[in-house]
Amino acid sequence: MKWQGRRVSRNIERRSGGGGGRAIGGIGGIGGVLILLLGWYFGVDVSGIVGSTGGSSTQQVDTGQITEADPEVEQFVGVVLADTEDVWAAIFNAQVDGAYVPPKLVLFDGITRSACGNASAQTGPFYCPSDQDVYLDTAFFRTMQQQLGAGGDFAAAYVIAHEVGHHVQDELGILGQTNSMRARMSEADSNALSVRIELQADCYAGIWAQGTQAMNGTLEPGDIDEAMNAAARIGDDALQRNAGQAVSPDNFTHGTSAQRQRWFMRGYESGNMTDCDTFSATQL
């Protein structure tokens, strides 16, 4: 991915020095274990669960010490975020009746607070609709590469683009409507709707990939393969197997590996937001 020497977004807030040894409570049981795994792995919108109550277990927080690589991480994140700003501004101008207002991205190490609760390396990247910020721990990309086998700069860019995709949903009013609906549903139905929300964010990430290539010639050979590899490793079915769980579709919240790959590619090949309507799709 060609990113060096390009515009860096000003919508980044850098936080450091998070306290170690603090805990995130309220995520317990088998479902809670899966949520934590999803958070660890990739691209999770945990806005509805981070800091919530309902379980007795707690998880200790890694302090995420700053390393020499972090300034480059910050530069990379800033370039990718700037790309999302340019691409979505152009798309909103062409396809949406309204201007795109970009989110702020909070880049932190250790632990920090969001309007949705605590953010840490264990929650993974997420979008908080209450403050319209994306939260990203500096250690996460190292986790992707070293523990998940999902390394590569474009795989990391996919993470950011997915979370910005949730902001796009928020800008369009989709996120507020669907979260309101989920609050009135059974757990199984709420999970099924969550899958459609997440797959749409994957599709929007694909639209971003097409847009940044058209604007900046960003992509290099192998970049799309990196995104496909990342999507394969963070599908609900793959995560459940890796956690030693039986595959349980009723507990899916983000979609299978194949679904995540398919919807990313749909956005990438189309570039049209109407083709990312996961909510009316009869087959995901």
Side-chain angles (χ1 to χ4, degrees):
M1 177 180 176
K2 301 173 184 176
W3 64 270
Q4 291 88 348
R6 305 226 323 269
R7 180 177 80 86
V8 176
S9 173
R10 296 183 179 181
N11 290 313
I12 290 186
E13 178 183 339
R14 185 68 159 88
R15 299 180 190 174
S16 61
R22 291 162 61 185
I24 296 177
I27 302 179
I30 293 175
V33 171
L34 179 59
I35 287 168
L36 284 171
L37 283 170
L38 289 169
W40 249 126
Y41 280 89
F42 177 78
V44 178
D45 176 13
V46 294
S47 59
I49 57 176
V50 177
S52 64
T53 59
S56 59
S57 64
T58 59
Q59 299 291 328
Q60 293 300 311
V61 174
D62 185 352
T63 58
Q65 296 297 316
I66 297 175
T67 72
E68 293 180 358
D70 281 340
E72 183 173 343
V73 169
E74 185 171 355
Q75 185 85 3
F76 170 77
V77 170
V79 170
V80 174
L81 187 63
D83 277 0
T84 68
E85 293 165 355
D86 294 341
V87 169
W88 284 112
I91 291 173
F92 268 53
N93 183 58
Q95 301 182 27
V96 179
D97 185 17
Y100 175 66
V101 180
K104 181 176 68 179
L105 188 149
V106 178
L107 188 65
F108 67 96
D109 66 278
I111 187 169
T112 192
R113 291 288 300 174
S114 79
C116 298
N118 284 344
S120 77
Q122 289 184 325
T123 61
F126 69 93
Y127 174 71
C128 175
S130 297
D131 56 23
Q132 296 189 313
D133 291 346
V134 172
Y135 288 83
L136 177 63
D137 186 89
T138 55
F140 183 72
F141 297 138
R142 293 192 293 275
T143 300
M144 284 184 64
Q145 181 174 5
Q146 296 170 8
Q147 299 184 23
L148 307 182
D153 49 13
F154 195 75
Y158 173 26
V159 175
I160 300 168
H162 174 94
E163 298 308 330
V164 171
H166 285 308
H167 177 71
V168 172
Q169 292 173 317
D170 205 14
E171 285 283 283
L172 297 173
I174 295 171
L175 203 56
Q177 293 176 20
T178 52
N179 282 341
S180 177
M181 292 170 62
R182 290 179 63 202
R184 302 190 299 271
M185 291 177 168
S186 67
E187 182 178 358
D189 288 343
S190 175
N191 287 346
L193 183 55
S194 175
V195 167
R196 293 178 183 268
I197 294 169
E198 296 296 333
L199 293 179
Q200 185 178 64
D202 281 332
C203 189
Y204 286 167
I207 288 179
W208 163 79
Q210 186 203 83
T212 191
Q213 172 64 6
M215 285 185 176
N216 306 302
T218 304
L219 301 186
E220 296 179 304
D223 280 346
I224 296 300
D225 290 338
E226 287 180 5
M228 291 296 95
N229 176 57
R233 292 177 181 271
I234 49 76
D236 285 327
D237 51 344
L239 290 175
Q240 288 179 347
R241 291 190 191 98
N242 290 339
Q245 306 281 336
V247 174
S248 175
D250 283 347
N251 291 326
F252 288 175
T253 57
H254 286 67
T256 67
S257 298
Q259 288 170 338
R260 299 199 71 167
Q261 290 177 320
R262 182 159 56 248
W263 282 95
F264 175 87
M265 287 303 299
R266 182 165 181 163
Y268 176 67
E269 292 171 352
S270 167
N272 194 324
M273 296 180 72
T274 60
D275 289 330
C276 291
D277 182 8
T278 56
F279 302 101
S280 63
T282 56
Q283 183 177 1
L284 295 175

